[in-house]
């Protein structure tokens, strides 16, 4: 019995080793640490330090290297030049979406974010067109952003200078802007359905970005059987989907196909137009999951960026004072800031750009995939290879930014103090998959930051250190530390 068991074990080891050996050695993939059977290169990633570990491997192996998530090879692309070559110069081929197992179990390939091929192309073109129609980048959405910004100013004013954590207020406000575009109305911040909706959307994002979520993405076949919070993803995603479904049903009852009121109406009209096409992608499932994608992608990201921005203004009061001066000169105190004001507010634009670069909120980007065989930087990447174009290596690329770990908005100003762009700031990624919410997020960040600073001096009892503000580069999301601040009314 013992001899048989030992024999079987040896045989299994030989099979695993030889399949791994042929699998791994026969490819002309970029170099990288040697993988082990079953766990791949997991041991090269320090616990809770995924991004830091990947950045270290960048300095060891250069601009492209290969990791193994179990037996899946993943090609990591680092630094501005290589990321630009992949996402922009070879944009079509690198436009595939790589797997994100923690979300995929729920989305099953539906929706805009995790789909590929014709489905993605159709949903993407439609979504971008409809979001534009409902105001992305236009005056109509600007007034909705201004309304929310004024509501939040009132909330902060009511705090009477007492320290508070602005996370929830910001999340309420940014979510309401999205609700206006997608559902056609805003919610009162105290509305219990809205509170519940935000809780689930936030939990979805938090789970996706947690260590559990990351481990699930690296070793899905093993993590499926390991107990842990990652198993909550399906029930909470279904709850969020249920909430959206209720809104869809309500829209159906009052739909006027000649006059769409919001994103959901437009999608329903397209579904009706294509009802005789058995292969249409405009079906209920794609509507629910695409809407789910927009909320999950669009709430926490903008909130985190602005929270990071507020933290930087507390750390550097002199930067805050300069923005105050620019607001006083360009906007004054008698009207609300608008997006057009940015053209004259070079310093404020430079600060926002530096907040994006420094905070680097999605350091890993989302996973990509090559849609056909390609030679890249001298290596052969077969169709379907997973690609991680790391935004953190672009934002900290020493060839693009001197002292990349320093927060310095003046790097985006020319000699005459005018705002100057740098293509190596790509918080929204680049190429065919670039974030479709970029225009909205940029408008929101500018209008919220200037409206808050038009009304308040920001102060904190705590003195923040360099360590407090430095991004932790632990995982999928770079969130700032927990902090509180006081909003002291100012007179212009
Ligand atoms: C500061 C705020 C934001 C940041 C930093 C950000 C960043 C990103 C990044 C890095 C990606 C991955 C792009 C890629 O795969 O190459 C992405 C995708 C996406 N974002 Fe955003 N985003 C923000 C706000 C928003 C907003 C407000 C929305 C919704 C209106 C949104 C919706 C999406 C969607 C749907 C995708 C998937 C696109 C696709 O796969 O074609 N994002 N975002």
């Amino acid at each position: 019995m013992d001899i048989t068991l030992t024999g079987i074990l040896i045989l299994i080891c030989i099979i695993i080793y030889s399949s791994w050996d042929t699998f791994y050695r026969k490819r002309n993939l970029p170099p990288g640490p040697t993988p082990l059977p079953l766990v791949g290169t997991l041991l090269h990633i320090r616990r809770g330090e995924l991004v830091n570990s990947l950045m270290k491997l960048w300095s060891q192996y250069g601009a492209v290297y290969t990791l193994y998530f179990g037996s899946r090879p993943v090609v990591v692309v680092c630094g501005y030049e290589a990321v630009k070559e992949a996402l922009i110069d070879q944009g079509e081929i690198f436009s595939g979406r790589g797997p994100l197992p923690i979300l995929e179990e729920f989305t099953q390939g539906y929706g805009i974010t995790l789909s590929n091929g014709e489905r993605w192309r159709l949903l993407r073109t439609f979504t971008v067109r409809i979001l534009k129609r409902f105001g992305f980048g236009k005056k109509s959405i600007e007034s909705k952003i201004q309304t929310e910004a004024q509501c939040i100013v009132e909330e902060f004013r009511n705090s009477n200078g007492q320290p508070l954590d602005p996370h929830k207020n910001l999340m309420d406000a940014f979510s309401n802007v999205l609700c206006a575009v997608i559902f056609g109305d805003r919610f009162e911040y105290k509305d219990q359905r809205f509170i519940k909706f935000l809780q689930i959307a936030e939990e979805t994002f938090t789970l996706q970005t947690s260590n559990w979520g990351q481990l699930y993405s690296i070793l899905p076949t093993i993590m499926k059987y390991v107990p842990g919070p990652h198993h909550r993803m399906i029930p909470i995603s279904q709850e969020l989907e249920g909430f959206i479904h209720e809104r869809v049903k309500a829209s159906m009852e009052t739909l006027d196909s000649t006059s769409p009121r919001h994103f959901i109406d437009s999608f329903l009209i397209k579904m009706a137009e294509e009802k005789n096409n058995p292969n249409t992608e405009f079906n209920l499932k794609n509507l629910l999951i695409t809407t789910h994608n927009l909320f999950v992608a669009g709430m926490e990201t903008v909130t985190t960026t602005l929270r990071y921005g507020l933290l930087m203004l507390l750390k550097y009061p002199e930067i805050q004072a300069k923005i105050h001066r620019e607001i006083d000169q360009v906007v004054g105190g008698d009207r609300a800031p608008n997006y057009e004001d940015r053209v004259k507010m070079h310093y404020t634009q430079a600060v926002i750009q530096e907040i994006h670069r420094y905070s680097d909120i999605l350091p890993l980007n989302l996973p990509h995939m090559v849609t056909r065989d390609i030679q890249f930087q001298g290596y052969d990447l077969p169709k379907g290879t997973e690609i991680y174009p790391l935004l953190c290596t672009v934002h900290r690329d020493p060839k693009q930014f001197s002292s990349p770990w320093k927060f310095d908005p003046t790097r985006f100003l020319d000699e005459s103090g005018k705002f100057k762009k740098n293509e190596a700031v790509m918080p929204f990624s680049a190429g065919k998959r670039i974030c479709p919410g970029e225009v909205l997020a940029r408008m929101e960040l500018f209008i919220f930051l200037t409206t808050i600073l038009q009304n308040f001096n920001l102060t904190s009892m705590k003195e923040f250190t360099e360590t407090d503000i430095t991004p932790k580069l632990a995982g999928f999301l770079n969130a700032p530390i927990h902090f509180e601040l006081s909003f002291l009314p100012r007179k212009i």
Side-chain angles (χ1 to χ4, degrees):
M1 179 68 182
D2 273 359
I3 296 177
T4 323
L5 194 65
T6 316
I8 291 172
L9 278 178
I10 292 174
L11 194 66
I12 291 175
C13 288
I14 292 172
I15 292 171
I16 290 177
Y17 178 79
S18 58
S19 56
W20 161 77
D21 196 50
T22 12
F23 204 60
Y24 162 62
R25 283 183 207 281
K26 284 212 174 134
R27 300 176 177 198
N28 178 29
L29 287 174
T34 308
L36 294 172
L38 297 179
V39 292
T41 43
L42 184 67
L43 300 184
H44 290 263
I45 294 167
R46 270 182 290 153
R47 210 167 132 238
E49 288 196 38
L50 176 61
V51 185
N52 259 329
S53 307
L54 299 190
M55 288 190 80
K56 285 221 171 81
L57 292 168
W58 172 33
S59 51
Q60 205 174 332
Y61 292 100
V64 273
Y65 62 85
T66 308
L67 288 180
Y68 283 79
F69 289 179
S71 60
R72 281 155 50 207
V74 170
V75 171
V76 183
V77 182
C78 304
Y80 173 66
E81 287 300 336
V83 170
K84 176 181 161 293
E85 186 183 336
L87 295 187
I88 297 176
D89 305 344
Q90 307 279 3
E92 190 61 42
I93 300 175
F94 280 80
S95 70
R97 172 66 73 223
L100 210 63
I102 180 115
L103 262 189
E104 247 162 34
E105 238 186 291
F106 162 68
T107 65
Q108 301 284 324
Y110 288 97
I112 183 175
T113 306
L114 295 187
S115 57
N116 271 306
E118 200 50 16
R119 174 176 293 169
W120 170 70
R121 214 173 299 282
L122 287 167
L123 291 177
R124 168 98 192 183
T125 314
F126 178 82
T127 303
V128 169
R129 185 161 54 81
I130 298 303
L131 292 181
K132 215 176 196 173
R133 186 188 300 163
F134 285 106
F136 275 32
K138 296 196 192 142
K139 281 275 168 208
S140 52
I141 196 95
E142 181 176 63
S143 66
K144 295 192 169 91
I145 300 173
Q146 286 170 324
T147 305
E148 289 305 327
Q150 291 304 334
C151 288
I152 210 177
V153 161
E154 283 319 302
E155 298 272 315
F156 292 153
R157 209 180 287 288
N158 291 340
S159 67
N160 294 321
Q162 290 302 309
L164 62 89
D165 173 357
H167 190 150
K168 185 181 171 310
N169 304 80
L170 294 176
M171 187 89 164
D172 285 350
F174 291 133
S175 313
N176 251 339
V177 176
L178 270 182
C179 286
V181 178
I182 294 172
F183 300 141
D185 52 12
R186 66 181 297 275
F187 289 83
E188 285 307 316
Y189 295 157
K190 292 191 175 67
D191 184 322
Q192 285 308 314
R193 289 167 311 153
F194 185 56
I195 292 173
K196 182 77 186 149
F197 173 66
L198 294 196
Q199 269 170 359
I200 314 170
E202 194 178 353
E203 194 181 349
T204 310
F205 195 87
T206 313
L207 259 184
Q208 187 185 327
T209 56
S210 67
N211 286 339
W212 286 96
Q214 284 159 34
L215 210 54
Y216 199 125
S217 292
I218 295 175
L219 297 172
T221 36
I222 298 177
M223 292 304 288
K224 243 183 209 165
Y225 303 101
V226 176
H230 52 297
H231 292 293
R232 267 189 61 65
M233 195 54 142
I234 296 243
I236 59 168
S237 298
Q238 284 166 343
E239 215 177 327
L240 193 57
E241 186 186 2
F243 182 92
I244 296 168
H245 201 169
E246 288 305 313
R247 304 294 304 197
V248 169
K249 283 191 224 154
S251 301
M252 276 173 171
E253 281 163 18
T254 50
L255 179 69
D256 170 359
S257 57
T258 57
S259 158
R261 296 155 297 182
H262 41 70
F263 180 79
I264 304 260
D265 269 5
S266 305
F267 206 105
L268 288 171
I269 292 168
K270 186 79 179 162
M271 276 165 67
E273 280 168 14
E274 301 220 347
K275 69 174 185 295
N276 295 325
N277 173 3
N279 300 321
T280 182
E281 292 298 347
F282 294 93
N283 48 43
L284 183 63
K285 197 72 190 160
N286 270 328
L287 166 56
L288 295 178
I289 306 285
T290 299
T291 308
H292 182 278
N293 292 159
L294 290 172
F295 276 110
V296 173
M299 286 159 47
E300 193 73 40
T301 44
V302 191
T303 306
T304 303
T305 307
L306 189 51
R307 279 173 64 222
Y308 229 117
L310 297 179
L311 178 64
M312 302 319 280
L313 299 182
L314 293 171
K315 166 75 181 148
Y316 300 110
E318 66 282 9
I319 294 181
Q320 188 183 154
K322 278 194 190 169
I323 303 184
H324 275 143
R325 273 204 292 282
E326 207 168 54
I327 293 172
D328 297 351
Q329 281 161 11
V330 176
V331 186
D334 297 332
R335 65 168 177 89
N338 61 49
Y339 196 44
E340 196 53 32
D341 289 326
R342 78 188 185 291
V343 180
K344 294 189 199 137
M345 298 176 66
H346 297 276
Y347 187 75
T348 306
Q349 281 202 72
V351 173
I352 294 176
Q353 188 78 331
E354 182 66 343
I355 291 169
H356 277 305
R357 186 197 72 83
Y358 185 86
S359 67
D360 194 19
I361 66 153
L362 294 176
L364 300 178
N365 205 336
L366 288 185
H368 281 236
M369 185 181 77
V370 286
T371 55
R372 59 179 166 85
D373 295 355
I374 183 180
Q375 269 246 332
F376 182 69
Q377 302 240 338
Y379 302 102
D380 298 323
L381 311 186
K383 177 179 173 178
T385 306
E386 280 174 59
I387 308 289
Y388 272 63
L390 297 189
L391 298 179
C392 53
T393 62
V394 176
H395 294 147
R396 298 286 187 274
D397 187 338
K399 289 193 193 132
Q400 299 299 322
F401 305 106
S402 58
S403 315
W405 291 95
K406 191 166 175 255
F407 184 81
D408 178 12
T410 62
R411 65 173 87 243
F412 297 116
L413 294 174
D414 67 14
E415 305 75 44
S416 58
K418 296 240 166 13
F419 174 62
K420 70 169 187 234
K421 264 189 158 180
N422 182 331
E423 298 300 331
V425 182
M426 42 173 87
F428 302 93
S429 187
K432 305 273 179 209
R433 282 269 180 180
I434 192 169
C435 172
E438 171 175 5
V439 182
L440 175 67
R442 286 194 188 280
M443 288 180 91
E444 288 180 322
L445 289 168
F446 180 82
I447 292 176
F448 269 68
L449 190 76
T450 48
T451 308
I452 290 172
L453 288 181
Q454 182 188 42
N455 287 279
F456 301 107
N457 282 311
L458 312 181
T459 63
S460 168
M461 305 282 277
K462 180 173 158 61
E463 284 225 350
F464 296 100
T465 64
E466 284 293 326
T467 315
D468 289 333
I469 60 162
T470 307
K472 301 294 167 279
L473 294 178
F476 189 78
L477 178 78
N478 266 333
I481 53 162
H482 169 84
F483 66 95
E484 294 193 335
L485 75 163
S486 297
F487 293 85
L488 306 180
R490 67 187 285 264
K491 284 259 168 291
I492 301 179

